[in-house]
Amino acid sequence: MALGFAGLNFEKILADNQSLVFSLALRFLRDREGAEELAQEVFLQLYEKLRKIESPAHATWWLRRAISHRCIDEARKRRLRPRIGLEAVPEPLAQTRDADPLLSRRLRKLVEKLPDNARMVVLLRYQEDLDPMEIAEMLNMPISTVKSLLHRSLAVLRGKLEKQEIYRKQVCR
């Protein structure tokens, strides 16, 4: 049993945060195998730095930050050397019951097309429910950049959903 600075138990940190780390990586990368690899690497990195972790909350913050940066780096690498994922479907346990599954699916596909930084900001805001200040700290961005990315991303998503809805209504006539 590995204990950190304040007697933190690595196994407990792992159990408490593995779904958060994996889910964020999976939503960003859309590749189960890649998400598992990154999650493992991040937890290995945490294990090596466990003595510097001050509390369970600090561990969660550190893990979100680490996986966010690793996902963005991995996406950049993949653009240089594309990799085809085996699965693009979210983990069944991570799915929620939506009132309109079609809207949820369409929205997820639109979010996937956002640029890397914008996509990570949107995921951290709406999947992880972090406020813009926390996102700014986590991604080493000015708060104004985070707010701008959120504002522009939501405008783009809203516009694309509206266009799809108009097109759908025209086709269905």
Side-chain angles (χ1 to χ4, degrees):
M1 172 166 59
L3 298 177
F5 173 73
L8 294 174
N9 179 319
F10 179 76
E11 289 81 9
K12 173 108 172 81
I13 293 171
L14 177 68
D16 290 348
N17 292 285
Q18 68 185 20
S19 63
L20 174 150
V21 171
F22 176 73
S23 174
L24 192 55
L26 182 61
R27 292 268 187 211
F28 189 85
L29 296 173
R30 301 172 312 277
D31 169 18
R32 180 176 299 280
E33 184 180 309
E36 287 173 353
E37 286 177 26
L38 280 187
Q40 287 176 356
E41 291 171 14
V42 165
F43 277 109
L44 179 59
Q45 193 177 7
L46 174 70
Y47 184 80
E48 293 168 351
K49 298 181 185 287
L50 193 58
R51 296 224 177 265
K52 296 179 181 180
I53 301 299
E54 299 169 4
S55 67
H58 182 225
T60 300
W61 178 88
W62 188 94
L63 287 165
R64 275 191 185 121
R65 183 172 189 216
I67 197 67
S68 296
H69 285 281
R70 294 299 296 268
C71 284
I72 291 169
D73 291 346
E74 181 65 19
R76 289 177 182 150
K77 286 181 196 172
R78 287 180 180 194
R79 270 195 295 285
L80 296 175
R81 54 170 174 70
R83 175 179 169 180
I84 299 172
L86 297 176
E87 296 179 43
V89 179
E91 185 176 11
L93 297 176
Q95 291 179 344
T96 58
R97 294 230 179 246
D98 294 315
D100 183 355
L102 180 60
L103 175 63
S104 176
R105 195 170 327 129
R106 287 189 314 181
L107 188 56
R108 191 175 313 117
K109 287 182 185 276
L110 292 174
V111 169
E112 289 172 0
K113 294 177 183 174
L114 290 172
D116 296 340
N117 284 341
R119 188 167 74 235
M120 183 54 73
V121 167
V122 168
L123 289 175
L124 288 171
R125 177 68 184 108
Y126 296 104
Q127 178 181 324
E128 296 301 313
D129 198 29
L130 298 179
D131 66 50
M133 183 59 85
E134 292 172 310
I135 296 169
E137 288 175 16
M138 192 165 297
L139 298 179
N140 294 327
M141 288 180 181
I143 184 76
S144 58
T145 302
V146 170
K147 288 180 178 180
S148 176
L149 283 171
L150 274 173
H151 180 75
R152 280 185 279 157
S153 297
L154 293 177
V156 165
L157 294 172
R158 198 174 296 118
K160 288 185 178 188
L161 279 173
E162 288 171 0
K163 284 180 185 175
Q164 285 182 356
E165 192 60 30
I166 291 169
Y167 176 76
R168 214 176 64 147
K169 285 180 181 178
Q170 290 174 347
V171 170
C172 292
R173 285 186 182 177

